[in-house]
mmCIF file of all heavy atoms in Angstrom:
data_model
loop_
_atom_site.group_PDB
_atom_site.id
_atom_site.type_symbol
_atom_site.label_atom_id
_atom_site.label_comp_id
_atom_site.label_asym_id
_atom_site.label_seq_id
_atom_site.Cartn_x
_atom_site.Cartn_y
_atom_site.Cartn_z
ATOM 1 N N LEU A 98 -164.308 -53.279 -167.560
ATOM 2 C CA LEU A 98 -164.144 -51.960 -166.948
ATOM 3 C C LEU A 98 -164.944 -51.849 -165.658
ATOM 4 O O LEU A 98 -164.444 -51.353 -164.640
ATOM 5 C CB LEU A 98 -164.612 -50.867 -167.914
ATOM 6 C CG LEU A 98 -163.675 -50.428 -169.029
ATOM 7 C CD1 LEU A 98 -164.303 -49.260 -169.783
ATOM 8 C CD2 LEU A 98 -162.310 -50.032 -168.499
ATOM 9 N N LEU A 99 -166.186 -52.308 -165.688
ATOM 10 C CA LEU A 99 -167.031 -52.222 -164.505
ATOM 11 C C LEU A 99 -166.483 -53.084 -163.366
ATOM 12 O O LEU A 99 -166.518 -52.681 -162.201
ATOM 13 C CB LEU A 99 -168.461 -52.639 -164.852
ATOM 14 C CG LEU A 99 -169.225 -51.686 -165.783
ATOM 15 C CD1 LEU A 99 -170.573 -52.278 -166.167
ATOM 16 C CD2 LEU A 99 -169.418 -50.329 -165.121
ATOM 17 N N LEU A 102 -163.310 -51.063 -162.094
ATOM 18 C CA LEU A 102 -163.446 -49.691 -161.631
ATOM 19 C C LEU A 102 -164.539 -49.477 -160.600
ATOM 20 O O LEU A 102 -164.463 -48.534 -159.801
ATOM 21 C CB LEU A 102 -163.699 -48.758 -162.831
ATOM 22 C CG LEU A 102 -162.570 -48.646 -163.863
ATOM 23 C CD1 LEU A 102 -162.974 -47.693 -164.980
ATOM 24 C CD2 LEU A 102 -161.273 -48.174 -163.212
ATOM 25 N N LEU A 103 -165.557 -50.325 -160.596
ATOM 26 C CA LEU A 103 -166.641 -50.139 -159.625
ATOM 27 C C LEU A 103 -166.192 -50.551 -158.229
ATOM 28 O O LEU A 103 -165.679 -51.651 -158.043
ATOM 29 C CB LEU A 103 -167.860 -50.977 -160.010
ATOM 30 C CG LEU A 103 -168.819 -50.433 -161.058
ATOM 31 C CD1 LEU A 103 -169.942 -51.443 -161.299
ATOM 32 C CD2 LEU A 103 -169.404 -49.102 -160.632
ATOM 33 N N PRO A 104 -166.382 -49.706 -157.225
ATOM 34 C CA PRO A 104 -166.123 -50.134 -155.852
ATOM 35 C C PRO A 104 -167.201 -51.113 -155.412
ATOM 36 O O PRO A 104 -168.336 -51.063 -155.893
ATOM 37 C CB PRO A 104 -166.209 -48.828 -155.058
ATOM 38 C CG PRO A 104 -167.086 -47.938 -155.883
ATOM 39 C CD PRO A 104 -166.843 -48.312 -157.309
ATOM 40 N N GLN A 109 -174.841 -47.366 -157.160
ATOM 41 C CA GLN A 109 -174.589 -46.611 -158.387
ATOM 42 C C GLN A 109 -175.813 -46.727 -159.296
ATOM 43 O O GLN A 109 -175.731 -47.236 -160.415
ATOM 44 C CB GLN A 109 -173.346 -47.178 -159.103
ATOM 45 C CG GLN A 109 -172.049 -47.069 -158.341
ATOM 46 C CD GLN A 109 -171.402 -45.701 -158.527
ATOM 47 O OE1 GLN A 109 -171.875 -44.885 -159.303
ATOM 48 N NE2 GLN A 109 -170.318 -45.461 -157.818
ATOM 49 N N LEU A 112 -175.523 -45.120 -162.805
ATOM 50 C CA LEU A 112 -174.647 -45.873 -163.688
ATOM 51 C C LEU A 112 -175.309 -47.188 -164.113
ATOM 52 O O LEU A 112 -175.142 -47.632 -165.254
ATOM 53 C CB LEU A 112 -173.309 -46.146 -162.994
ATOM 54 C CG LEU A 112 -172.234 -46.836 -163.837
ATOM 55 C CD1 LEU A 112 -172.018 -46.109 -165.159
ATOM 56 C CD2 LEU A 112 -170.924 -46.920 -163.061
ATOM 57 N N ASP A 139 -169.548 -41.156 -169.875
ATOM 58 C CA ASP A 139 -170.481 -41.101 -168.746
ATOM 59 C C ASP A 139 -169.973 -41.931 -167.566
ATOM 60 O O ASP A 139 -170.169 -41.566 -166.405
ATOM 61 C CB ASP A 139 -171.865 -41.582 -169.176
ATOM 62 C CG ASP A 139 -172.551 -40.593 -170.117
ATOM 63 O OD1 ASP A 139 -172.154 -39.413 -170.124
ATOM 64 O OD2 ASP A 139 -173.475 -41.000 -170.839
ATOM 65 N N LEU A 140 -169.332 -43.061 -167.867
ATOM 66 C CA LEU A 140 -168.734 -43.887 -166.814
ATOM 67 C C LEU A 140 -167.659 -43.106 -166.065
ATOM 68 O O LEU A 140 -167.619 -43.103 -164.826
ATOM 69 C CB LEU A 140 -168.143 -45.159 -167.425
ATOM 70 C CG LEU A 140 -167.326 -46.059 -166.488
ATOM 71 C CD1 LEU A 140 -168.223 -46.660 -165.406
ATOM 72 C CD2 LEU A 140 -166.633 -47.178 -167.278
ATOM 73 N N LEU A 141 -166.781 -42.426 -166.808
ATOM 74 C CA LEU A 141 -165.716 -41.637 -166.183
ATOM 75 C C LEU A 141 -166.299 -40.548 -165.287
ATOM 76 O O LEU A 141 -165.836 -40.336 -164.162
ATOM 77 C CB LEU A 141 -164.827 -41.016 -167.268
ATOM 78 C CG LEU A 141 -163.932 -42.000 -168.045
ATOM 79 C CD1 LEU A 141 -163.362 -41.329 -169.288
ATOM 80 C CD2 LEU A 141 -162.812 -42.535 -167.172
ATOM 81 N N ASP A 142 -167.336 -39.877 -165.783
ATOM 82 C CA ASP A 142 -167.971 -38.830 -164.972
ATOM 83 C C ASP A 142 -168.604 -39.419 -163.715
ATOM 84 O O ASP A 142 -168.466 -38.860 -162.615
ATOM 85 C CB ASP A 142 -169.038 -38.101 -165.794
ATOM 86 C CG ASP A 142 -168.443 -37.114 -166.793
ATOM 87 O OD1 ASP A 142 -167.243 -36.802 -166.677
ATOM 88 O OD2 ASP A 142 -169.176 -36.667 -167.694
ATOM 89 N N SER A 143 -169.300 -40.541 -163.869
ATOM 90 C CA SER A 143 -170.019 -41.149 -162.738
ATOM 91 C C SER A 143 -169.074 -41.582 -161.631
ATOM 92 O O SER A 143 -169.418 -41.522 -160.448
ATOM 93 C CB SER A 143 -170.840 -42.356 -163.217
ATOM 94 O OG SER A 143 -171.854 -41.961 -164.096
ATOM 95 N N LEU A 144 -167.875 -42.016 -162.002
ATOM 96 C CA LEU A 144 -166.925 -42.517 -161.012
ATOM 97 C C LEU A 144 -165.935 -41.453 -160.536
ATOM 98 O O LEU A 144 -165.005 -41.758 -159.789
ATOM 99 C CB LEU A 144 -166.167 -43.720 -161.600
ATOM 100 C CG LEU A 144 -167.027 -44.939 -161.944
ATOM 101 C CD1 LEU A 144 -166.166 -46.048 -162.537
ATOM 102 C CD2 LEU A 144 -167.773 -45.452 -160.715
ATOM 103 N N GLY A 145 -166.158 -40.215 -160.959
ATOM 104 C CA GLY A 145 -165.308 -39.124 -160.480
ATOM 105 C C GLY A 145 -164.019 -38.953 -161.245
ATOM 106 O O GLY A 145 -163.104 -38.259 -160.777
ATOM 107 N N TYR A 146 -163.925 -39.550 -162.450
ATOM 108 C CA TYR A 146 -162.715 -39.431 -163.264
ATOM 109 C C TYR A 146 -162.905 -38.457 -164.428
ATOM 110 O O TYR A 146 -162.078 -38.421 -165.339
ATOM 111 C CB TYR A 146 -162.312 -40.795 -163.826
ATOM 112 C CG TYR A 146 -161.877 -41.804 -162.790
ATOM 113 C CD1 TYR A 146 -162.646 -42.924 -162.514
ATOM 114 C CD2 TYR A 146 -160.676 -41.641 -162.098
ATOM 115 C CE1 TYR A 146 -162.252 -43.867 -161.576
ATOM 116 C CE2 TYR A 146 -160.277 -42.565 -161.152
ATOM 117 C CZ TYR A 146 -161.064 -43.684 -160.898
ATOM 118 O OH TYR A 146 -160.663 -44.612 -159.966
ATOM 119 N N GLY A 147 -163.980 -37.686 -164.426
ATOM 120 C CA GLY A 147 -164.223 -36.738 -165.509
ATOM 121 C C GLY A 147 -163.201 -35.608 -165.500
ATOM 122 O O GLY A 147 -162.408 -35.467 -164.572
#
Side-chain angles (χ1 to χ4, degrees):
L98 280 185
L99 292 174
L102 296 180
L103 278 179
Q109 297 276 354
L112 185 52
D139 290 340
L140 173 66
L141 290 167
D142 284 346
S143 295
L144 297 179
Y146 294 111

